[in-house]
Amino acid sequence: MSIWTELADVDFRQAYVDAGGIRTRALQAGPEDGEHVVFLHGTTGHLEAFVRNIGPHARRYRCHAIDMLGHGYTDKPDKPGEIPAYVEHLLAYLDAVGAEKAHLVGESLGGWVAAWTASEHPERVATLQLLCMGGTKVNPEVMQRLKTSTTAASLEDDIELTRKRLRLLWAEWDDDLGDELTEVRYDIYHRPEFQKNLHNLLALQETETRERNLLRPERMARISAPTLVVWGNKNPFGDVPEAHAIADAIPGARLEIFPECGHWPQHEQADRYNPLSLEFLAEAS
């Protein structure tokens, strides 16, 4: 199994889109007249995090998985990666593809960006899916683990360190796609422009920066879009009570806990996540 077989049943393309002057890599699939669904990855991640989700969703929806600002193969401006900058880039991408409104699916950092967007620009967000979302707490131990593992994987020429960084995301390593995703991430991490920009991508792992970008309960209470919160009970970056706090803070949010699952529920348990997501989108449409 590979990225290609996961996408074999759909018509898709990799595109580079000018999003407010930022050359942005996107995987696009599905009917051009369908409702837009945008998938947003986590810190120092890339769009391949959603290769197991694009095919099922693209049968009905116009799907976009993007490399967010400064990530993957997208342009890397030299400025700290704070949430308002990610939101501005996301909105520029939506404008560029003609999406007045979109369903947002965000994992980790991507959920943080999606939730912030929904709180500030409700007219642009049809529904919200928050998958092991970050941004509601300051946890120095978790932040240090993320900084240390990512820095080592990026600056040392050892693909095993990249594999170790990816292993943090899964409760159980996936041999089917794990090695392939490791190779993709290794290539991204070892490009000079990525290494030069790494401190900007890790800005939110610094306490002062994180504090001013936190998703506080009063901000989440402003979210009006129908919201699905998905969490893994073995998420190494946040315990289950954090998921309950998020769901309680967002009016009407629905919470689903995936057993035996880590930080990538959409990938680790795609057979469970995809039907749940499609059901949620259909009910909200």
Side-chain angles (χ1 to χ4, degrees):
M1 185 179 293
S2 79
I3 289 170
W4 300 110
T5 56
E6 290 287 346
L7 296 169
D9 293 332
V10 298
D11 186 16
F12 72 93
R13 69 174 188 141
Q14 175 180 280
Y16 279 91
V17 176
D18 183 341
I22 302 296
R23 186 173 184 261
T24 302
R25 184 176 72 126
L27 176 65
Q28 301 174 340
E32 293 193 9
D33 60 350
E35 296 177 44
H36 297 272
V37 179
V38 180
F39 296 89
L40 304 170
H41 58 74
T43 298
T44 69
H46 38 93
L47 62 81
E48 282 79 10
F50 296 100
V51 295
R52 285 182 161 161
N53 315 117
I54 297 296
H57 287 77
R59 294 186 179 94
R60 174 175 177 182
Y61 298 96
R62 183 62 175 170
C63 294
H64 312 257
I66 69 171
D67 286 347
M68 294 200 298
L69 181 68
H71 286 73
Y73 298 101
T74 288
D75 278 352
K76 297 164 178 59
D78 186 14
K79 62 181 181 180
E82 299 196 39
I83 299 302
Y86 289 122
V87 171
E88 180 182 4
H89 174 244
L90 171 60
L91 294 175
Y93 178 84
L94 295 180
D95 290 342
V97 298
E100 294 183 9
K101 201 168 196 176
H103 304 276
L104 300 182
V105 180
E107 174 264 324
S108 195
L109 170 63
W112 191 350
V113 173
W116 195 287
T117 303
S119 72
E120 289 285 332
H121 304 277
E123 75 284 356
R124 304 301 299 269
V125 181
T127 65
L128 199 55
Q129 295 186 45
L130 308 176
L131 316 179
C132 294
M133 180 182 75
T136 64
K137 297 175 68 175
V138 175
N139 186 326
E141 180 181 349
V142 169
M143 292 154 61
Q144 186 60 42
R145 186 192 317 153
L146 190 57
K147 285 192 293 184
T148 300
S149 62
T150 306
T151 300
S154 300
L155 300 184
E156 297 186 34
D157 190 17
D158 183 353
I159 197 169
E160 289 305 316
L161 293 172
T162 306
R163 184 175 285 105
K164 183 178 180 180
R165 171 67 176 83
L166 270 175
R167 281 181 181 272
L168 286 176
L169 305 173
W170 289 329
E172 185 173 344
W173 181 246
D174 184 336
D175 287 326
D176 283 344
L177 281 180
D179 289 344
E180 188 170 0
L181 287 172
T182 296
E183 290 181 13
V184 173
R185 186 163 293 207
Y186 180 84
D187 180 75
I188 291 169
Y189 277 10
H190 289 82
R191 291 187 171 228
E193 62 271 23
F194 181 91
Q195 295 173 339
K196 182 179 179 181
N197 189 54
L198 182 59
H199 66 289
N200 288 323
L201 299 187
L202 295 176
L204 292 169
Q205 311 312 315
E206 303 296 336
T207 298
E208 182 178 350
T209 306
R210 195 177 190 89
E211 284 278 4
R212 66 172 173 261
N213 285 272
L214 278 182
L215 272 171
R216 302 185 187 277
E218 56 268 26
R219 176 176 289 280
M220 290 188 283
R222 300 198 330 239
I223 294 173
S224 58
T227 301
L228 173 65
V229 179
V230 178
W231 208 266
N233 72 340
K234 293 186 176 181
N235 177 11
F237 301 126
D239 296 328
V240 170
E242 187 175 342
H244 284 278
I246 292 168
D248 289 344
I250 299 174
R254 172 181 172 184
L255 174 62
E256 294 284 342
I257 305 294
F258 282 22
E260 303 303 312
C261 184
H263 195 64
W264 264 14
Q266 83 288 353
H267 190 97
E268 293 177 82
Q269 296 187 13
D271 288 347
R272 178 176 180 182
Y273 168 73
N274 288 330
L276 173 66
S277 173
L278 290 166
E279 173 197 355
F280 172 74
L281 290 169
E283 289 176 352
S285 296

